[in-house]
Amino acid sequence: MSAPSTNANANRPAAISGAAGQSRRHDSAHKHVTGQAPYVDDIPEPPGTLHVFIAQSKVAHAAIRGLDVSAVRAAPGVIAVLTAQDVPGVNDVSPVAGDDPLFASDVIEYWGQSLFAVAAETQEQARAAAALVVLDLEERPAIITIDEAMEAQSLLQAPYVMVRGDAESAIAAAPQHLDGRIYIGGQEHFYLEGQAALAIPGEDEDVTVISSTQHPSEIQHKVAGVLGISNHAVTIEVRRMGGGFGGKESQGNLPACAAALAAKVTGRPAKVVYDRDDDMMITGKRHDFRIDYRVGFDDEGRILGIEFDQALRCGMSFDLSEPIADRAMFHADNCYFLPDVTITSYRCKTHTQSNTAFRGFGGPQGMVAMERVIDHIASSLGKDPLDIRKVNLYDHKDEIGARNITPFHMEVEDCIIQDIVDELAASSDYRKRRQNIAQWNATSPVIKLGIALTPVKFGISFTNTFLNQAGALVHVYNDGSIGLNHGGTEMGQGLFTKVAQVVAREFQVDLSRVKITATTTGKVPNTSATAASSGSDLNGMAAADAARKIRRRMSEFLAGRYQTELSQIQFLPGRIRVGEEEITFEDAVWQAYTARVPLSATGFYATPKIHWDKAQARGRPFLYYAYGAAVTEAAIDTLTGENRLLRVDILHDVGKSLNPDIDLGQIEGGYVQGAGWLTTEELVWNADGQLTTHAPSTYKIPACSDRAQDMRIEIFQRGENVEDTIYKSKAVGEPPLMLGISAFMAISDAIAAAGGAYPALDTPATPERVLFAVERLRTGSDGQ
């Protein structure tokens, strides 16, 4: 046996470039900004591709007595018209409950519901033909709002209750009491790329669907169900999405199934691409809530007992409303210990779009109400809200006593929010600025300023335990290059980059050696959605598992070939130490290949420790918590209600960051999206159930000018996950959105300065709502 090559000793790298823990740009960043990143609608269409238009209902609630599509079928360019009767399998595209038909058959339950699909040579022909349908409908009364649903007791299921202790008695015995109500608006996802799917028929029953989806496996299952075939006949592929935010977790099922059905019926490729108006009319949103609270507290503002009634508009079907409503309950405490607490959830059925997942998944709504309670208590006691927040925080992880049990009986073992709040309050100069703002407001009759510091504690894991699993596939090719595939999807958040960095770190090679490939059900099966902020946690660990299997095989082979102990094999940057010698990574790979060592492996990860007893409303649904805090300073014009964010300071915990630059981007983007939800983004339905804000002309997402000119964002440098996550990192997808709550509370603080009392401000804090709130405080009237 020849001695190991010594080539690795010359010009050997001191460190690898781009591995996990280092800042690197998003792998497609240059393509995003130059328009070179291909999305579903950019893929060259196969010859004969049909364009499919989804025909929608123009009423909110009606019985279907007749649907005549004969004129539609006869229209120019039309190849097929698909109705519920044309579905060979199950007419359902719901993620869970089986209550969301691909095409309405007997009853219409919201304005915008899918009635049938037209497959034509062009999109224009399909749309024009759809207008020729003859409908015979028996209109029925529609329930649109939460208030209407609660009045009618229109619920998807019985109220769900979470209890610890005796809240009613604790409130009654408390020296101070308050009650209130807040309406929290919904939010449109407004991903830049709309819902899209391209279906290509194959041999026998096979069909391939290229879909803009966060959940390829669910698309696979729903397409198979609609077509009446097995999952193995359906392949779903997604390289990237132009944004998702939860809106492509289940809402992509309908376009994918419609495209696949058209492809199989006609034998031709078929494509569904929603335009913006259709997208907003068909798809579900973030759930809006009505939350009532009753709280008892002492003279220091310490909460002694609290009751929440959370009512949310689910829409016409379940979709993901049950776990979303559960998570709103899980986060009703935010960062605060509630000694005696009762939370009751009402899942309202309405004749509107079936609301769905959105970044935070119910958690933000629960937190907004809790922060409202804190501010309300502070106002009633004449104290700084920060002091009320600090006195109610969970016990620090290093000083755990009796104040670390959540309302669902989980122990909070990793609380570091005190460290973050104290550091941020100091670095932002919060106390001095609050004094300066008070002085300004005393002399400024029109422009009022406000400031708020709000914390975030967000649980990481799917609350449905079985979803906490992931798979990966890693190939090491005989030239030392590496192919990577896993079940996560890329929607701009940088997941593919981070997981590739994990593989680079495991093999101690430069990131450039790792090839990122499109997510496909043909390579990694039975995947969970890229959601719940778990993408890096799950897929990073699965990819590391696959890489470690290959690395161990290589190590065992090298130890045997060079007659040394396994402990003497060490992977170093770009090379491998074998005893006292070193060989290049490429040389080691070639030797292993020629010795017939398998250089491909699957990896798997299942989140440990988590469990949840739904019936008892207790357990450990989360592996750990991510923490953060934000200070926002805002100004309002009391004559018009116009408002502006002036300065934002953020300190956020990501554990040991996998990629600080990408994490900072997620933190900033999350804050802006959260602030937009609570300030400018307003969804309006008219009395007939029609969504009237269904385009950029009527629905305002934050523009660059809405971003505070002064934003100071930092990663908490002392962060480290106490759990065994991938390199001790923490999730960063959803938690930063809730930092935006500080923007809403800062505006509320400014309104209070205009009237001297606590404003009952609902979200979003549009100029109209701000103006009405000012008028209420100044005149004692309703203000509208």
Side-chain angles (χ1 to χ4, degrees):
M1 180 66 63
S2 61
S5 168
T6 60
N7 293 339
N9 292 320
N11 300 316
R12 62 188 185 187
I16 51 177
S17 174
Q22 300 177 28
S23 285
R24 285 296 183 272
R25 66 165 171 79
H26 187 290
D27 73 280
S28 297
H30 60 296
K31 299 177 185 177
H32 293 158
V33 299
T34 59
Q36 296 178 338
Y39 298 92
V40 174
D41 200 28
D42 299 319
I43 297 170
E45 295 174 0
T49 296
L50 296 173
H51 296 264
V52 182
F53 175 74
I54 306 298
Q56 303 159 45
S57 164
K58 302 302 181 186
V59 299
H61 192 201
I64 301 175
R65 295 189 298 205
L67 185 140
D68 183 356
V69 295
S70 55
V72 182
R73 287 197 170 98
V78 172
I79 304 302
V81 179
L82 307 170
T83 69
Q85 285 67 45
D86 298 301
V87 176
V90 181
N91 181 32
D92 176 62
V93 291
S94 69
V96 179
D99 59 348
D100 208 346
L102 173 61
F103 304 122
S105 56
D106 301 319
V107 63
I108 291 168
E109 295 202 87
Y110 77 94
W111 189 306
Q113 185 170 0
S114 168
L115 300 180
F116 60 93
V118 183
E121 300 291 352
T122 69
Q123 181 71 15
E124 293 75 17
Q125 289 174 329
R127 184 182 290 271
L132 302 177
V133 68
V134 178
L135 284 168
D136 181 11
L137 303 177
E138 179 187 325
E139 289 202 50
R140 296 175 176 175
I143 295 172
I144 306 303
T145 68
I146 292 174
D147 288 341
E148 291 170 356
M150 291 295 287
E151 177 69 23
Q153 282 297 287
S154 176
L155 303 176
L156 287 171
Q157 58 185 191
Y160 184 57
V161 182
M162 190 176 288
V163 178
R164 198 192 66 247
D166 184 349
E168 184 178 5
S169 297
I171 294 169
Q176 304 274 358
H177 312 85
L178 284 174
D179 61 79
R181 168 177 288 183
I182 182 171
Y183 288 90
I184 303 169
Q187 187 176 23
E188 165 62 32
H189 300 86
F190 220 99
Y191 24 67
L192 293 181
E193 177 202 24
Q195 301 285 349
L198 171 64
I200 303 169
E203 295 183 24
D204 304 321
E205 295 180 331
D206 291 356
V207 62
T208 297
V209 182
I210 303 171
S211 175
S212 183
T213 177
Q214 295 173 236
H215 201 345
S217 287
E218 183 172 291
I219 297 280
Q220 178 191 39
H221 304 159
K222 300 319 293 187
V223 167
V226 165
L227 298 182
I229 59 180
S230 297
N231 291 346
H232 68 206
V234 181
T235 301
I236 309 300
E237 180 178 316
V238 53
R239 172 56 181 89
R240 62 173 59 84
M241 289 163 273
F245 311 117
K248 294 178 180 176
E249 187 169 347
S250 64
Q251 300 298 291
N253 295 354
L254 192 155
C257 289
L261 180 60
K264 295 306 288 185
V265 167
T266 65
R268 294 170 60 174
K271 183 163 72 171
V272 176
V273 178
Y274 293 171
D275 72 11
R276 182 62 61 184
D277 291 87
D278 292 333
D279 201 312
M280 293 184 73
M281 291 300 295
I282 294 172
T283 62
K285 325 295 178 193
R286 183 189 295 280
H287 292 67
D288 52 323
F289 274 65
R290 186 190 82 184
I291 300 182
D292 296 301
Y293 58 86
R294 296 165 296 279
V295 60
F297 52 97
D298 65 20
D299 294 338
E300 296 301 312
R302 186 176 288 104
I303 294 171
L304 303 176
I306 192 166
E307 295 176 333
F308 286 110
D309 292 331
Q310 300 180 341
L312 62 156
R313 171 162 43 183
C314 300
M316 56 82 69
S317 64
F318 270 97
D319 195 80
L320 297 169
S321 289
E322 186 173 3
I324 289 167
D326 289 350
R327 191 176 271 269
M329 302 172 80
F330 290 140
H331 291 87
D333 58 342
N334 194 10
C335 295
Y336 312 113
F337 175 67
L338 307 176
D340 291 270
V341 55
T342 298
I343 308 166
T344 306
S345 177
Y346 300 89
R347 292 93 193 262
C348 298
K349 176 180 171 65
T350 57
H351 297 108
T352 54
Q353 290 85 348
S354 190
N355 284 329
T356 190
F358 199 129
R359 196 175 190 175
F361 208 75
Q365 296 94 313
M367 288 187 193
V368 167
M370 186 67 246
E371 294 303 325
R372 160 61 63 82
V373 171
I374 294 290
D375 274 22
H376 200 170
I377 292 172
S379 177
S380 72
L381 295 176
K383 292 180 177 288
D384 184 336
L386 178 56
D387 294 329
I388 306 303
R389 290 186 166 92
K390 293 181 72 170
V391 79
N392 282 290
L393 294 174
Y394 279 105
D395 287 338
H396 189 277
K397 69 179 180 66
D398 296 332
E399 299 175 357
I400 292 177
R403 296 174 59 85
N404 76 321
I405 307 297
T406 69
F408 46 95
H409 304 271
M410 175 178 169
E411 293 185 22
V412 180
E413 301 169 331
D414 59 2
C415 184
I416 55 170
I417 194 61
Q418 295 88 344
D419 301 333
I420 292 173
V421 167
D422 289 347
E423 184 174 327
L424 181 63
S427 65
S428 66
D429 210 7
Y430 169 84
R431 299 286 188 183
K432 183 176 180 181
R433 288 167 61 194
R434 189 167 187 84
Q435 292 175 358
N436 293 342
I437 285 171
Q439 293 171 5
W440 166 280
N441 288 334
T443 59
S444 176
V446 176
I447 303 300
K448 299 293 185 181
L449 304 181
I451 191 169
L453 188 160
T454 60
V456 169
K457 172 182 69 68
F458 191 78
I460 305 300
S461 292
F462 288 98
T463 55
N464 194 342
T465 303
F466 83 86
L467 295 175
N468 293 281
Q469 57 175 298
L473 176 65
V474 173
H475 302 313
V476 177
Y477 295 99
N478 63 19
D479 65 349
S481 62
I482 299 167
L484 166 65
N485 195 270
H486 56 82
T489 57
E490 177 60 55
M491 62 196 91
Q493 84 280 35
L495 174 65
F496 276 20
T497 304
K498 285 185 173 182
V499 179
Q501 288 181 282
V502 167
V503 173
R505 179 163 164 173
E506 288 297 324
F507 286 115
Q508 289 289 292
V509 298
D510 289 349
L511 180 60
S512 60
R513 283 196 170 275
V514 183
K515 172 68 173 178
I516 297 169
T517 59
T519 306
T520 171
T521 56
K523 290 185 178 179
V524 178
N526 307 322
T527 58
S528 296
T530 304
S533 300
S534 62
S536 296
D537 282 1
L538 295 176
N539 296 287
M541 290 292 273
D545 179 51
R548 289 165 186 170
K549 288 178 181 177
I550 299 172
R551 198 175 66 185
R552 174 138 189 120
R553 292 174 195 159
M554 291 178 64
S555 296
E556 290 173 345
F557 158 71
L558 292 170
R561 169 162 287 192
Y562 295 108
Q563 301 299 302
T564 189
E565 298 295 324
L566 190 61
S567 61
Q568 297 301 304
I569 308 298
Q570 184 180 5
F571 280 70
L572 300 171
R575 62 200 191 280
I576 301 174
R577 178 172 293 154
V578 182
E580 297 300 319
E581 304 292 337
E582 293 181 0
I583 57 176
T584 64
F585 179 76
E586 298 93 323
D587 187 13
V589 168
W590 180 259
Q591 290 187 45
Y593 161 68
T594 56
R596 298 184 297 180
V597 174
L599 297 174
S600 177
T602 59
F604 184 78
Y605 176 73
T607 307
K609 298 185 179 180
I610 53 176
H611 55 90
W612 175 244
D613 185 333
K614 176 82 171 180
Q616 298 297 319
R618 62 192 303 156
R620 180 177 179 165
F622 309 121
L623 179 61
Y624 65 89
Y625 287 98
Y627 299 88
V631 176
T632 300
E633 184 177 339
I636 67 167
D637 185 326
T638 59
L639 300 181
T640 65
E642 292 176 277
N643 54 79
R644 178 170 296 177
L645 305 184
L646 303 177
R647 175 177 162 182
V648 177
D649 296 76
I650 292 172
L651 185 61
H652 194 75
D653 165 39
V654 297
K656 295 293 186 183
S657 176
L658 293 176
N659 186 319
D661 280 358
I662 284 179
D663 287 349
L664 284 168
Q666 286 293 292
I667 294 166
E668 180 176 353
Y671 173 89
V672 172
Q673 190 172 51
W677 162 50
L678 295 170
T679 59
T680 68
E681 300 185 45
E682 184 173 29
L683 294 166
V684 178
W685 283 263
N686 64 22
D688 295 326
Q690 180 185 13
L691 178 67
T692 60
T693 50
H694 54 81
S697 58
T698 51
Y699 185 83
K700 188 182 186 307
I701 64 171
C704 293
S705 58
D706 295 307
R707 178 189 183 275
Q709 289 188 355
D710 187 354
M711 292 191 74
R712 311 179 188 194
I713 303 171
E714 298 289 343
I715 290 173
F716 183 58
Q717 293 301 312
R718 290 177 282 159
E720 181 175 353
N721 205 327
V722 301
E723 299 296 338
D724 189 19
T725 55
I726 188 69
Y727 308 139
K728 295 293 185 177
S729 64
K730 285 191 177 184
V732 73
E734 291 172 295
L737 181 133
M738 284 142 278
L739 299 170
I741 295 172
S742 65
F744 177 69
M745 296 304 166
I747 292 172
S748 295
D749 188 52
I751 296 171
Y758 188 72
L761 181 65
D762 296 325
T763 84
T766 58
E768 295 88 348
R769 282 200 176 89
V770 171
L771 183 60
F772 293 154
V774 170
E775 289 300 307
R776 282 196 301 270
L777 294 183
R778 286 182 168 175
T779 66
S781 66
D782 289 340
Q784 51 183 312

